[in-house]
Amino acid sequence: MNPFFTVFKKTQQFLLLQAYADEIMSEEELMTFLLNETTDARFSLISQKGLYLVTPNVSLDEFTHDFYAPSEVQASLAKESVAVLLTTKVETIALPFSELEDAKSILADINYLWSN
């Protein structure tokens, strides 16, 4: 298991992810982005420019990310999850939610961000 999840509490994780977002995203992106944990111990930062798939670490300097433009990603509903297909890697990332309505809402937000 990634030590990031055992060393830091959820609130500390959020603060570190916010600090990383501040480093890699533009001011415009930071005004409206979505942050969600994936089922494989990564985080998605979704902005109007695309998807940043972040792999956290104990040190902020050791965080890494891959970026995918909206044209390289397809998002769809999959039960209580949003399935994000990375078309250039043929990989699907799952963003899980406890309620179907939450998944529908996030999918609508993603579609809105990527339509503007």
Side-chain angles (χ1 to χ4, degrees), residues 2-115:
N2 185 331
F4 175 82
F5 295 96
T6 56
V7 171
F8 299 112
K9 297 176 185 176
K10 286 286 185 189
T11 54
Q12 294 169 315
Q13 292 174 14
F14 175 78
L15 292 172
L16 285 167
L17 287 160
Q18 180 66 49
Y20 190 68
D22 288 346
E23 287 184 12
I24 64 172
M25 298 174 92
S26 69
E27 285 184 28
E28 182 182 351
E29 287 177 288
L30 289 170
M31 296 302 288
T32 56
F33 76 95
L34 306 171
L35 167 63
N36 293 98
E37 189 171 347
T38 68
T39 55
D40 63 351
R42 293 184 286 180
F43 292 88
S44 67
L45 302 174
I46 300 171
S47 75
Q48 68 271 22
K49 289 188 179 178
L51 165 70
Y52 297 85
L53 194 55
V54 177
T55 303
N57 209 316
V58 175
S59 169
L60 188 60
D61 293 336
E62 295 176 7
F63 278 40
T64 60
H65 73 275
D66 293 312
F67 177 78
Y68 303 92
S71 61
E72 301 173 297
V73 182
Q74 294 176 351
S76 61
L77 197 60
K79 297 186 182 179
E80 288 87 26
S81 296
V82 173
V84 180
L85 172 64
L86 308 174
T87 58
T88 56
K89 289 183 73 173
V90 191
E91 177 183 2
T92 300
I93 306 302
L95 309 177
F97 297 92
S98 57
E99 301 288 329
L100 177 60
E101 289 306 312
D102 294 337
K104 286 180 180 180
S105 177
I106 291 296
L107 181 58
D109 291 345
I110 292 169
N111 289 333
Y112 174 78
L113 283 172
W114 289 349
S115 69

